[in-house]
Amino acid sequence: MKDVLVYIELIEDGVRPSSREAVSAGREIASATGGSVIALIASGEPVGVPTLDGVDRIIHVTHPALGAYTAEAHAAVLADMIAKLDPAAVMLAYTTAGLDLASAVAVTASLPLVAYCTDVTVADGALTTTSQMYGGRLEAVVRAPLPVVVSIMPGAFPEAVTTGASPEIIVQDAPKSLDALRSVFVDEQRPARGSFDLSLAERIVCIGRGIGAADSIAVARELADALNAEIAGSRPVIDQGWLEKERQVGKSGRLVKPRLYIGLGVSGAPEHLEGMRSSDLIIAVNSDAAAPIFTVAHYAAVCDMFDLVPALIERLKAGTP
Amino acid sequence: MHIMVVLRLVADLGGDIEIAHGGKDIDREWVDLKLNEFDDHALEEAIFLKEIVGAKVTAIMIDGDGVERSLQTALARGADEARRIAVDDTDGPISSRAMTPVVAAAAAELGADLVLTGVQSPEDIFGQLAPSLGAVLGWPQASAVSSVKPDDGSTITVQQEYSGGVSAAIRLPLPAVLGVQTASRPIRYVTGSKLRQAMAEEIPRIEATAAVAMPDVEIVELRVPDEAGGAVMLDGDADAIADEILRLLADRALLQVC
C-alpha cells in the first residue's frame, strides 16, 4: 500500500488538463509514501495511450461500455482497480466524472474521501489536505489516514511534468460487471459549430446573484454594450432563466479567458472561479467584502453595483476616461 | 413512480459565517440556515416530474433545528408526504457521507424507486450524497443532472452536464439515484396561503433504522483563506471607483472599439 492511483479522464483531444493536475498532486503523495504513480485510463477502443507526463505506469482498460462515459461503467473499473492494487491514495479531479466516481468508489472500497482539495501533504502515514468549504469562503485542514480517496480542485495544482522515463503501459482486462451494465449512454450534445461561443469573447461583463431581478439586467447590458463586451452570467442567473445557458461562465458553463472580465454581484463560488480565473484583467464589484471572487480579482470594489454601473456608463458614453 | 427527495439545511452563504471557538466548525449558534440550493432544485425537479407524469413525492430530512418548517414548505410546494428522520448521533452536524446509510435505509423502507438530492452542498467535503447513496443501495446514479425525463415507466433519461457547454443523455433503469444540479424549470415559490396551510401539518418523525457511519477523517482546523495575492481594492464612492476603473481600462487599451 504505497502506490498512488490516478483516474484519467479522456476528452476529444487527449487528456483533460485537470487529470494532469491530479497526477501532480498524486506525485506529491507518492514521493512521501515511496510508491509509484499509476494512471488508470479506461477507453472504449484499444486506442493509442495519450502522452501522460509524471506517471510511472499506465494501466489501460478497454471495453465497449467505456467509450462513452457513464458513471456505472467507470466506477466499476476504478473500484476493481482499487481492489487489485490496494493503493495508498486514489486521485480524481473535481469534474462531473470526479463527482460521480470519487464518492462512489470511496463507499464501495470503504475508504475515507476528502474532496475540494487545494493542497495535499503526507506525513506519518496520514494525509493532510486543505479543502474548500462554504463556497470558498472558508477552507478546512483535513486529516485522513491512508488509504484515502482524494478529489482535487481544478486549477489548484500545476499539470504534471515528465519524470524523464517513459511510463510502462499495462493492458488489463475489464471487470466482468461491464457486460451487465444498467446505465446506457444515449447521445451527447455539444454547442453547434458556428454558434455563439462565449469562450471567444475578448471582453465580458458577468452578472451574478447580486443582480437581484431580471429587470435589473438591462443596466448591465448597457454597460456591456458601452464596453463592446458580451454579457454573461453565473449559474444562479442562468438557473433563473434570466440569460441563455450559452452565456454561463463556470464549471457547468463555459471556461473563459477574456482580456477583460468585469464581475457584477458575482460572489465567486469555486465552480465559477474555475471558469474565469485565467482572465487577463478581472475587476470584481460586490457589496459583500467577504466575496470569494476578490481572491482571484486583480481589482475589486466593495460597493453597490447599481450606483457604480450608471457612473461607468456615463463616463464611457462621454468618451473620455 | 415514488420519488424520495433528500433535503439538507446548510449555512446561508449570503450571511455571515463565523468560525466557532475551537476552530474546527462554524459557529452554528448564530449562523442562518437555509435549504441547500441544489436540494431546492432536486425538490423542484421532483414536483415537476409529479406534474408531468404523476408521481408520489416524499421529502425527507435528518431531524434537527428548522427541519419541520423546511418540510412543511416542501409540502406547500407540492410534495405529498414528508418525514423527519431521527438519528441517535446528534453530536454536531452529520456529514453527507455519514448520513448515507440512514438515507439509504429510508429509501428502502419508503419504497422509493427514484432518489433525488442536490449534486453537492457547501459542507460535503467528505463525499457527495448521491454517488454515495448509489453505491450503498447498489442503484445506478448520475451527478450534475439538469433534467429528468421518464421513458416507459421503468427507465428515465437524464441530462448530465459537463464543462464547456457539453452534456449527455444517459438512460437509467429505476430504481436510481440522481444528484441534481439544475431543475428543468426555475424554482417556483409558494403562495402565503399554501404555506400557512402547510404550517398546520405535523411532520411525522421516524427513527432511523441504520446507524450514521463516518470513516476516520476529520477537520483539524477551519480558517479563512489567505488573501495574499488578492485584489487591489478600489476605494471611495461610486464616482471615484468609476474613474479608477476607466483609468485601468484606458491603460490597457480596453476602451478602444475592437
Side-chain angles (χ1 to χ4, degrees), chain A residues 60-78:
Chain A
H60 190 196
V61 178
T62 63
H63 186 282
L66 296 168
Y69 171 83
T70 66
E72 190 182 7
H74 282 249
V77 173
L78 181 55

Side-chain angles (χ1 to χ4, degrees), chain A residues 248-267:
Chain A
Q248 180 178 348
V249 172
K251 185 183 216 55
S252 50
R254 304 312 296 257
L255 307 184
V256 300
K257 215 157 66 168
R259 288 179 61 209
L260 170 66
Y261 167 102
I262 297 182
L264 302 174
V266 175
S267 67

Side-chain angles (χ1 to χ4, degrees), chain A residues 21-22 24-26 28-29 91 114-122 126-132 139-144 148-158, chain B residues 223:
Chain A
E21 297 164 7
S24 103
E28 287 184 33
I29 295 175
M91 315 296 297
V114 193
Y116 315 111
C117 297
T118 58
D119 187 46
V120 294
T121 52
V122 168
L127 171 77
T128 301
T129 74
T130 304
S131 292
Q132 291 186 340
E139 60 186 22
V141 178
V142 176
R143 190 167 299 143
V148 63
V149 179
V150 182
S151 164
I152 63 148
M153 288 302 290
F157 294 86
Chain B
R223 63 191 183 201

Side-chain angles (χ1 to χ4, degrees), chain A residues 94 96 116 145 189 203 315, chain B residues 120 124 159 161 216 243:
Chain A
Y94 168 55
T96 296
Y116 315 111
Q189 290 78 45
R203 305 168 189 190
R315 283 160 176 76
Chain B
Q120 63 182 104
D124 59 7
Q159 206 67 29
E161 301 274 322
D216 182 15
D243 286 338

Side-chain angles (χ1 to χ4, degrees), chain B residues 15 61 126 138 158 243:
Chain B
M61 296 179 86
F126 302 134
V158 305
D243 286 338

Side-chain angles (χ1 to χ4, degrees), chain B residues 191-220:
Chain B
T191 59
S193 63
K194 268 193 177 171
L195 204 53
R196 278 191 295 279
Q197 205 180 334
M199 290 305 156
E201 300 248 4
E202 194 174 321
I203 307 295
R205 187 170 187 267
I206 58 173
E207 292 296 323
T209 54
V212 166
M214 189 57 200
D216 182 15
V217 52
E218 60 165 346
I219 294 175
V220 293

